[in-house]
Structures are given as structure tokens and as C-alpha cells.
Amino acid sequence: MKIACSYYYRGSSNSYLHMKQVASDEIQLSTDYGEVIKDVYTVTDLVKVISDLESGNYA
């Protein structure tokens, strides 16, 4: 699944946040270039990563 989300990650400009379920309770977030950002297990973790991306914390 991918969600439109403009952000920078390690110097690269991205247009989508890619989400892939890798275990029954784990979602892997990655960039347009296939770089894994983080594995999340809770909604709280997901919201934090999205907030950090929008704030430029991973740029």
C-alpha cells in the first residue's frame, strides 16, 4: 500500500510512504526508493514516524 506524502528521507525527495505488512503485527515503512524507514507495531508508532517525516527529522 502507498499513501501520497511528500517528504525528504536521507537527502532524497519522496512522493509516497510505502507500507507493507511483514508480520501479523508489524508494518514496514519505506521510501519510493525502497529504503526501509522503520518497522512499526502500533498506531502510536505509525503516527510518530509520519509526524517525524513531515517535520523533516529524517531528511
Side-chain angles (χ1 to χ4, degrees):
M1 165 187 242
K2 65 182 183 178
I3 298 173
C5 180
S6 180
Y7 63 94
Y8 288 98
Y9 183 77
R10 295 186 178 177
S12 298
S13 178
N14 294 270
S15 299
Y16 293 94
L17 178 61
H18 299 260
M19 301 186 337
K20 175 182 173 183
Q21 187 167 0
V22 293
S24 63
D25 62 347
E26 180 181 355
I27 296 173
Q28 186 177 76
L29 305 175
S30 61
T31 68
D32 290 336
Y33 303 98
E35 297 172 284
V36 174
I37 300 169
K38 188 166 184 141
D39 295 339
V40 296
Y41 301 90
T42 66
V43 172
T44 303
D45 291 341
L46 177 60
V47 170
K48 171 120 176 62
V49 171
I50 292 171
S51 177
D52 286 347
L53 286 170
E54 289 184 340
S55 297
N57 293 344
Y58 291 102

Short mmCIF file of all heavy atoms in Angstrom, two decimals:
data_model
loop_
_atom_site.label_atom_id
_atom_site.label_comp_id
_atom_site.label_asym_id
_atom_site.label_seq_id
_atom_site.Cartn_x
_atom_site.Cartn_y
_atom_site.Cartn_z
N MET A 1 0.85 -1.16 0.00
CA MET A 1 0.00 0.00 0.00
C MET A 1 0.90 1.23 0.00
O MET A 1 1.97 1.22 0.61
CB MET A 1 -0.88 -0.03 1.25
CG MET A 1 -1.56 1.27 1.57
SD MET A 1 -2.39 1.22 3.16
CE MET A 1 -4.03 1.49 2.59
N LYS A 2 0.49 2.26 -0.69
CA LYS A 2 1.23 3.51 -0.64
C LYS A 2 0.27 4.67 -0.43
O LYS A 2 -0.86 4.65 -0.88
CB LYS A 2 2.07 3.71 -1.89
CG LYS A 2 1.30 3.87 -3.17
CD LYS A 2 2.26 3.99 -4.35
CE LYS A 2 1.51 4.23 -5.62
NZ LYS A 2 2.40 4.42 -6.76
N ILE A 3 0.77 5.68 0.28
CA ILE A 3 -0.02 6.86 0.61
C ILE A 3 0.74 8.08 0.12
O ILE A 3 1.95 8.20 0.35
CB ILE A 3 -0.24 6.96 2.13
CG1 ILE A 3 -1.03 5.76 2.64
CG2 ILE A 3 -0.93 8.26 2.50
CD1 ILE A 3 -1.14 5.71 4.15
N ALA A 4 0.05 8.98 -0.57
CA ALA A 4 0.69 10.21 -1.04
C ALA A 4 1.16 11.01 0.16
O ALA A 4 0.40 11.30 1.07
CB ALA A 4 -0.29 11.02 -1.87
N CYS A 5 2.46 11.32 0.15
CA CYS A 5 3.07 12.01 1.29
C CYS A 5 4.40 12.56 0.81
O CYS A 5 5.34 11.81 0.58
CB CYS A 5 3.27 11.01 2.43
SG CYS A 5 4.02 11.69 3.91
N SER A 6 4.50 13.86 0.65
CA SER A 6 5.73 14.48 0.18
C SER A 6 6.67 14.70 1.36
O SER A 6 6.32 15.37 2.32
CB SER A 6 5.41 15.81 -0.51
OG SER A 6 6.58 16.42 -0.96
N TYR A 7 7.87 14.10 1.28
CA TYR A 7 8.84 14.22 2.38
C TYR A 7 10.24 13.94 1.86
O TYR A 7 10.43 13.39 0.78
CB TYR A 7 8.50 13.24 3.51
CG TYR A 7 8.57 11.78 3.09
CD1 TYR A 7 9.73 11.04 3.29
CD2 TYR A 7 7.49 11.16 2.48
CE1 TYR A 7 9.81 9.72 2.91
CE2 TYR A 7 7.56 9.84 2.09
CZ TYR A 7 8.72 9.12 2.30
OH TYR A 7 8.79 7.81 1.90
N TYR A 8 11.22 14.32 2.67
CA TYR A 8 12.62 14.02 2.38
C TYR A 8 13.10 12.93 3.33
O TYR A 8 12.74 12.93 4.50
CB TYR A 8 13.50 15.26 2.55
CG TYR A 8 13.29 16.27 1.46
CD1 TYR A 8 12.44 17.36 1.66
CD2 TYR A 8 13.93 16.15 0.24
CE1 TYR A 8 12.23 18.29 0.66
CE2 TYR A 8 13.72 17.08 -0.77
CZ TYR A 8 12.87 18.14 -0.55
OH TYR A 8 12.67 19.05 -1.55
N TYR A 9 13.89 12.01 2.80
CA TYR A 9 14.48 10.96 3.63
C TYR A 9 15.93 10.79 3.20
O TYR A 9 16.20 10.43 2.04
CB TYR A 9 13.72 9.65 3.48
CG TYR A 9 14.25 8.55 4.37
CD1 TYR A 9 13.96 8.54 5.71
CD2 TYR A 9 15.05 7.54 3.85
CE1 TYR A 9 14.45 7.53 6.55
CE2 TYR A 9 15.54 6.54 4.66
CZ TYR A 9 15.24 6.54 6.01
OH TYR A 9 15.72 5.55 6.83
N ARG A 10 16.84 11.10 4.09
CA ARG A 10 18.28 10.99 3.82
C ARG A 10 18.68 11.66 2.51
O ARG A 10 19.39 11.10 1.69
CB ARG A 10 18.72 9.54 3.83
CG ARG A 10 18.57 8.89 5.18
CD ARG A 10 19.14 7.51 5.20
NE ARG A 10 19.00 6.96 6.54
CZ ARG A 10 19.37 5.75 6.86
NH1 ARG A 10 19.90 4.96 5.95
NH2 ARG A 10 19.22 5.32 8.07
N GLY A 11 18.15 12.86 2.29
CA GLY A 11 18.52 13.65 1.13
C GLY A 11 17.72 13.38 -0.13
O GLY A 11 17.89 14.07 -1.13
N SER A 12 16.84 12.39 -0.12
CA SER A 12 16.03 12.07 -1.29
C SER A 12 14.62 12.59 -1.12
O SER A 12 14.02 12.49 -0.05
CB SER A 12 15.96 10.55 -1.50
OG SER A 12 17.23 10.02 -1.73
N SER A 13 14.08 13.14 -2.20
CA SER A 13 12.70 13.61 -2.20
C SER A 13 11.79 12.44 -2.54
O SER A 13 12.05 11.68 -3.47
CB SER A 13 12.54 14.72 -3.25
OG SER A 13 11.22 15.15 -3.29
N ASN A 14 10.72 12.27 -1.77
CA ASN A 14 9.79 11.17 -1.96
C ASN A 14 8.37 11.69 -2.10
O ASN A 14 8.02 12.72 -1.53
CB ASN A 14 9.86 10.22 -0.76
CG ASN A 14 11.19 9.52 -0.66
OD1 ASN A 14 11.37 8.47 -1.22
ND2 ASN A 14 12.14 10.14 0.04
N SER A 15 7.56 10.95 -2.83
CA SER A 15 6.17 11.34 -3.06
C SER A 15 5.18 10.44 -2.34
O SER A 15 4.02 10.80 -2.18
CB SER A 15 5.86 11.31 -4.55
OG SER A 15 6.68 12.22 -5.24
N TYR A 16 5.62 9.25 -1.94
CA TYR A 16 4.73 8.29 -1.30
C TYR A 16 5.40 7.65 -0.09
O TYR A 16 6.61 7.46 -0.07
CB TYR A 16 4.34 7.17 -2.26
CG TYR A 16 3.48 7.64 -3.40
CD1 TYR A 16 4.05 8.00 -4.62
CD2 TYR A 16 2.11 7.74 -3.26
CE1 TYR A 16 3.27 8.45 -5.67
CE2 TYR A 16 1.31 8.19 -4.30
CZ TYR A 16 1.90 8.54 -5.50
OH TYR A 16 1.13 8.98 -6.52
N LEU A 17 4.59 7.30 0.88
CA LEU A 17 5.02 6.49 2.00
C LEU A 17 4.49 5.09 1.72
O LEU A 17 3.29 4.89 1.58
CB LEU A 17 4.45 7.03 3.32
CG LEU A 17 4.78 6.23 4.58
CD1 LEU A 17 6.29 6.17 4.80
CD2 LEU A 17 4.08 6.84 5.78
N HIS A 18 5.39 4.14 1.60
CA HIS A 18 5.01 2.76 1.28
C HIS A 18 4.89 1.96 2.57
O HIS A 18 5.77 2.03 3.43
CB HIS A 18 6.07 2.13 0.37
CG HIS A 18 6.21 2.86 -0.93
ND1 HIS A 18 5.62 2.42 -2.09
CD2 HIS A 18 6.83 4.02 -1.24
CE1 HIS A 18 5.90 3.27 -3.07
NE2 HIS A 18 6.63 4.26 -2.57
N MET A 19 3.81 1.19 2.68
CA MET A 19 3.56 0.40 3.87
C MET A 19 3.32 -1.04 3.46
O MET A 19 2.51 -1.31 2.57
CB MET A 19 2.34 0.94 4.63
CG MET A 19 2.55 2.38 5.04
SD MET A 19 1.30 3.17 6.08
CE MET A 19 -0.17 2.31 5.86
N LYS A 20 4.05 -1.94 4.10
CA LYS A 20 3.95 -3.36 3.77
C LYS A 20 3.84 -4.16 5.06
O LYS A 20 4.67 -3.99 5.98
CB LYS A 20 5.21 -3.78 3.00
CG LYS A 20 5.30 -5.23 2.69
CD LYS A 20 6.62 -5.50 1.96
CE LYS A 20 6.85 -6.97 1.75
NZ LYS A 20 8.16 -7.23 1.12
N GLN A 21 2.84 -5.02 5.14
CA GLN A 21 2.70 -5.86 6.33
C GLN A 21 3.69 -7.01 6.19
O GLN A 21 3.65 -7.78 5.24
CB GLN A 21 1.28 -6.39 6.46
CG GLN A 21 1.07 -7.13 7.75
CD GLN A 21 -0.40 -7.40 8.05
OE1 GLN A 21 -1.27 -7.03 7.27
NE2 GLN A 21 -0.64 -8.06 9.14
N VAL A 22 4.62 -7.12 7.14
CA VAL A 22 5.66 -8.14 7.08
C VAL A 22 5.48 -9.23 8.13
O VAL A 22 6.14 -10.25 8.09
CB VAL A 22 7.09 -7.52 7.18
CG1 VAL A 22 7.39 -6.69 5.96
CG2 VAL A 22 7.24 -6.69 8.43
N ALA A 23 4.61 -9.00 9.06
CA ALA A 23 4.24 -10.00 10.07
C ALA A 23 2.82 -9.66 10.52
O ALA A 23 2.30 -8.60 10.17
CB ALA A 23 5.20 -9.97 11.25
N SER A 24 2.22 -10.52 11.28
CA SER A 24 0.83 -10.27 11.67
C SER A 24 0.67 -8.97 12.46
O SER A 24 -0.39 -8.37 12.42
CB SER A 24 0.29 -11.45 12.48
OG SER A 24 1.02 -11.59 13.68
N ASP A 25 1.72 -8.54 13.14
CA ASP A 25 1.63 -7.33 13.95
C ASP A 25 2.70 -6.30 13.60
O ASP A 25 3.00 -5.42 14.39
CB ASP A 25 1.71 -7.68 15.43
CG ASP A 25 3.03 -8.32 15.81
OD1 ASP A 25 3.79 -8.73 14.90
OD2 ASP A 25 3.32 -8.42 17.02
N GLU A 26 3.27 -6.39 12.41
CA GLU A 26 4.37 -5.50 12.04
C GLU A 26 4.14 -4.91 10.64
O GLU A 26 3.83 -5.64 9.70
CB GLU A 26 5.68 -6.27 12.05
CG GLU A 26 6.89 -5.49 11.67
CD GLU A 26 8.14 -6.36 11.70
OE1 GLU A 26 8.07 -7.53 12.09
OE2 GLU A 26 9.18 -5.85 11.30
N ILE A 27 4.30 -3.60 10.53
CA ILE A 27 4.20 -2.92 9.24
C ILE A 27 5.53 -2.25 8.97
O ILE A 27 6.07 -1.54 9.81
CB ILE A 27 3.07 -1.88 9.24
CG1 ILE A 27 1.72 -2.57 9.41
CG2 ILE A 27 3.08 -1.06 7.95
CD1 ILE A 27 0.57 -1.63 9.60
N GLN A 28 6.07 -2.48 7.78
CA GLN A 28 7.34 -1.89 7.38
C GLN A 28 7.06 -0.66 6.52
O GLN A 28 6.31 -0.72 5.56
CB GLN A 28 8.15 -2.91 6.58
CG GLN A 28 9.54 -2.45 6.24
CD GLN A 28 10.28 -3.55 5.53
OE1 GLN A 28 10.03 -3.79 4.36
NE2 GLN A 28 11.16 -4.22 6.25
N LEU A 29 7.67 0.47 6.89
CA LEU A 29 7.52 1.71 6.15
C LEU A 29 8.76 1.92 5.31
O LEU A 29 9.89 1.75 5.79
CB LEU A 29 7.35 2.88 7.12
CG LEU A 29 6.21 2.75 8.12
CD1 LEU A 29 6.23 3.92 9.09
CD2 LEU A 29 4.87 2.66 7.42
N SER A 30 8.58 2.30 4.04
CA SER A 30 9.72 2.50 3.16
C SER A 30 9.47 3.68 2.22
O SER A 30 8.35 4.15 2.06
CB SER A 30 10.04 1.24 2.37
OG SER A 30 8.96 0.88 1.55
N THR A 31 10.56 4.10 1.57
CA THR A 31 10.53 5.24 0.66
C THR A 31 10.21 4.80 -0.76
O THR A 31 10.10 3.60 -1.05
CB THR A 31 11.90 5.94 0.65
OG1 THR A 31 12.85 5.04 0.03
CG2 THR A 31 12.38 6.30 2.03
N ASP A 32 10.12 5.77 -1.66
CA ASP A 32 9.93 5.48 -3.09
C ASP A 32 11.10 4.68 -3.66
O ASP A 32 10.95 4.00 -4.67
CB ASP A 32 9.80 6.78 -3.90
CG ASP A 32 8.51 7.52 -3.63
OD1 ASP A 32 7.53 6.88 -3.20
OD2 ASP A 32 8.48 8.74 -3.84
N TYR A 33 12.24 4.75 -3.00
CA TYR A 33 13.46 4.09 -3.49
C TYR A 33 13.72 2.76 -2.79
O TYR A 33 14.78 2.16 -2.95
CB TYR A 33 14.66 5.03 -3.32
CG TYR A 33 14.43 6.34 -4.03
CD1 TYR A 33 13.98 7.46 -3.33
CD2 TYR A 33 14.61 6.45 -5.40
CE1 TYR A 33 13.75 8.67 -3.98
CE2 TYR A 33 14.37 7.65 -6.07
CZ TYR A 33 13.94 8.75 -5.34
OH TYR A 33 13.69 9.93 -6.00
N GLY A 34 12.77 2.30 -1.99
CA GLY A 34 12.89 1.02 -1.32
C GLY A 34 13.69 1.03 -0.03
O GLY A 34 13.93 -0.02 0.56
N GLU A 35 14.07 2.22 0.44
CA GLU A 35 14.80 2.31 1.71
C GLU A 35 13.82 2.10 2.86
O GLU A 35 12.79 2.76 2.92
CB GLU A 35 15.45 3.67 1.87
CG GLU A 35 16.50 4.00 0.83
CD GLU A 35 16.95 5.44 0.94
OE1 GLU A 35 16.18 6.31 0.50
OE2 GLU A 35 18.04 5.66 1.48
N VAL A 36 14.14 1.20 3.75
CA VAL A 36 13.28 0.95 4.91
C VAL A 36 13.48 2.09 5.91
O VAL A 36 14.60 2.38 6.33
CB VAL A 36 13.60 -0.40 5.58
CG1 VAL A 36 12.80 -0.57 6.86
CG2 VAL A 36 13.31 -1.54 4.61
N ILE A 37 12.39 2.74 6.26
CA ILE A 37 12.42 3.82 7.23
C ILE A 37 12.34 3.25 8.64
O ILE A 37 13.15 3.56 9.50
CB ILE A 37 11.26 4.82 7.00
CG1 ILE A 37 11.38 5.43 5.60
CG2 ILE A 37 11.23 5.88 8.09
CD1 ILE A 37 10.15 6.21 5.16
N LYS A 38 11.34 2.41 8.86
CA LYS A 38 11.13 1.86 10.20
C LYS A 38 10.06 0.77 10.14
O LYS A 38 9.18 0.81 9.30
CB LYS A 38 10.69 2.97 11.15
CG LYS A 38 10.63 2.55 12.59
CD LYS A 38 10.53 3.73 13.52
CE LYS A 38 10.56 3.21 14.91
NZ LYS A 38 11.32 4.00 15.82
N ASP A 39 10.14 -0.17 11.06
CA ASP A 39 9.08 -1.15 11.27
C ASP A 39 8.25 -0.66 12.45
O ASP A 39 8.82 -0.28 13.48
CB ASP A 39 9.65 -2.52 11.59
CG ASP A 39 10.43 -3.11 10.42
OD1 ASP A 39 10.21 -2.68 9.28
OD2 ASP A 39 11.25 -4.01 10.64
N VAL A 40 6.94 -0.63 12.29
CA VAL A 40 6.08 -0.16 13.37
C VAL A 40 5.13 -1.27 13.80
O VAL A 40 4.78 -2.15 13.02
CB VAL A 40 5.27 1.11 12.96
CG1 VAL A 40 6.20 2.26 12.69
CG2 VAL A 40 4.39 0.85 11.76
N TYR A 41 4.73 -1.20 15.07
CA TYR A 41 3.88 -2.22 15.66
C TYR A 41 2.57 -1.67 16.21
O TYR A 41 1.66 -2.43 16.49
CB TYR A 41 4.64 -2.94 16.78
CG TYR A 41 5.91 -3.60 16.30
CD1 TYR A 41 7.12 -2.91 16.31
CD2 TYR A 41 5.90 -4.90 15.81
CE1 TYR A 41 8.28 -3.50 15.85
CE2 TYR A 41 7.06 -5.50 15.36
CZ TYR A 41 8.24 -4.79 15.37
OH TYR A 41 9.39 -5.39 14.92
N THR A 42 2.52 -0.34 16.38
CA THR A 42 1.32 0.28 16.95
C THR A 42 0.93 1.51 16.14
O THR A 42 1.75 2.07 15.41
CB THR A 42 1.55 0.72 18.42
OG1 THR A 42 2.52 1.77 18.44
CG2 THR A 42 2.02 -0.44 19.29
N VAL A 43 -0.29 1.94 16.32
CA VAL A 43 -0.75 3.17 15.67
C VAL A 43 0.05 4.35 16.18
O VAL A 43 0.41 5.25 15.41
CB VAL A 43 -2.27 3.37 15.93
CG1 VAL A 43 -2.72 4.72 15.44
CG2 VAL A 43 -3.07 2.27 15.27
N THR A 44 0.39 4.34 17.45
CA THR A 44 1.18 5.43 18.02
C THR A 44 2.53 5.54 17.31
O THR A 44 2.98 6.63 16.98
CB THR A 44 1.39 5.20 19.54
OG1 THR A 44 0.11 5.08 20.16
CG2 THR A 44 2.17 6.34 20.16
N ASP A 45 3.19 4.40 17.07
CA ASP A 45 4.47 4.39 16.35
C ASP A 45 4.29 4.92 14.92
O ASP A 45 5.12 5.68 14.44
CB ASP A 45 5.05 2.98 16.28
CG ASP A 45 5.52 2.45 17.62
OD1 ASP A 45 5.74 3.26 18.55
OD2 ASP A 45 5.68 1.22 17.74
N LEU A 46 3.22 4.51 14.26
CA LEU A 46 2.95 4.95 12.89
C LEU A 46 2.77 6.46 12.83
O LEU A 46 3.36 7.14 11.99
CB LEU A 46 1.73 4.24 12.33
CG LEU A 46 1.28 4.64 10.94
CD1 LEU A 46 2.37 4.38 9.91
CD2 LEU A 46 0.00 3.90 10.58
N VAL A 47 1.97 6.99 13.72
CA VAL A 47 1.71 8.43 13.76
C VAL A 47 3.01 9.19 14.04
O VAL A 47 3.28 10.23 13.42
CB VAL A 47 0.63 8.77 14.82
CG1 VAL A 47 0.52 10.26 15.05
CG2 VAL A 47 -0.71 8.20 14.38
N LYS A 48 3.84 8.68 14.93
CA LYS A 48 5.11 9.34 15.26
C LYS A 48 6.03 9.39 14.04
O LYS A 48 6.63 10.43 13.75
CB LYS A 48 5.80 8.61 16.40
CG LYS A 48 7.22 9.08 16.66
CD LYS A 48 7.39 9.63 18.04
CE LYS A 48 8.82 10.01 18.37
NZ LYS A 48 9.42 11.03 17.59
N VAL A 49 6.15 8.30 13.31
CA VAL A 49 7.01 8.29 12.12
C VAL A 49 6.50 9.26 11.08
O VAL A 49 7.28 10.03 10.50
CB VAL A 49 7.12 6.87 11.53
CG1 VAL A 49 7.83 6.89 10.19
CG2 VAL A 49 7.85 5.95 12.49
N ILE A 50 5.20 9.27 10.82
CA ILE A 50 4.63 10.20 9.84
C ILE A 50 4.87 11.64 10.28
O ILE A 50 5.26 12.49 9.47
CB ILE A 50 3.14 9.91 9.61
CG1 ILE A 50 2.98 8.56 8.90
CG2 ILE A 50 2.49 11.02 8.78
CD1 ILE A 50 1.55 8.07 8.81
N SER A 51 4.67 11.92 11.54
CA SER A 51 4.92 13.26 12.06
C SER A 51 6.39 13.65 11.90
O SER A 51 6.71 14.77 11.49
CB SER A 51 4.51 13.33 13.53
OG SER A 51 4.79 14.58 14.07
N ASP A 52 7.29 12.73 12.20
CA ASP A 52 8.72 12.99 12.05
C ASP A 52 9.09 13.22 10.59
O ASP A 52 9.92 14.09 10.29
CB ASP A 52 9.54 11.83 12.61
CG ASP A 52 9.55 11.78 14.14
OD1 ASP A 52 9.14 12.79 14.77
OD2 ASP A 52 9.98 10.75 14.69
N LEU A 53 8.50 12.47 9.68
CA LEU A 53 8.76 12.68 8.25
C LEU A 53 8.31 14.06 7.81
O LEU A 53 9.04 14.77 7.11
CB LEU A 53 8.05 11.60 7.41
CG LEU A 53 8.66 10.22 7.43
CD1 LEU A 53 7.71 9.23 6.75
CD2 LEU A 53 10.01 10.20 6.76
N GLU A 54 7.12 14.46 8.23
CA GLU A 54 6.59 15.77 7.84
C GLU A 54 7.39 16.91 8.48
O GLU A 54 7.47 17.98 7.91
CB GLU A 54 5.11 15.87 8.22
CG GLU A 54 4.23 15.00 7.36
CD GLU A 54 2.75 15.16 7.67
OE1 GLU A 54 2.41 15.64 8.77
OE2 GLU A 54 1.95 14.82 6.80
N SER A 55 8.00 16.66 9.62
CA SER A 55 8.80 17.68 10.30
C SER A 55 10.23 17.74 9.77
O SER A 55 11.00 18.61 10.17
CB SER A 55 8.83 17.39 11.80
OG SER A 55 7.56 17.47 12.34
N GLY A 56 10.61 16.80 8.91
CA GLY A 56 11.94 16.79 8.34
C GLY A 56 12.98 16.13 9.22
O GLY A 56 14.18 16.28 8.99
N ASN A 57 12.57 15.36 10.22
CA ASN A 57 13.53 14.73 11.13
C ASN A 57 14.37 13.64 10.49
O ASN A 57 15.42 13.27 11.02
CB ASN A 57 12.81 14.16 12.35
CG ASN A 57 12.21 15.24 13.21
OD1 ASN A 57 12.55 16.41 13.09
ND2 ASN A 57 11.30 14.88 14.09
N TYR A 58 13.94 13.10 9.35
CA TYR A 58 14.68 12.06 8.66
C TYR A 58 15.43 12.59 7.44
O TYR A 58 16.07 11.83 6.73
CB TYR A 58 13.76 10.92 8.20
CG TYR A 58 13.19 10.11 9.33
CD1 TYR A 58 11.88 10.31 9.77
CD2 TYR A 58 13.94 9.10 9.94
CE1 TYR A 58 11.35 9.54 10.79
CE2 TYR A 58 13.41 8.33 10.95
CZ TYR A 58 12.11 8.56 11.37
OH TYR A 58 11.59 7.79 12.38
N ALA A 59 15.30 13.89 7.18
CA ALA A 59 15.90 14.47 5.97
C ALA A 59 17.40 14.34 6.04
O ALA A 59 18.10 14.18 5.11
CB ALA A 59 15.50 15.93 5.82
#
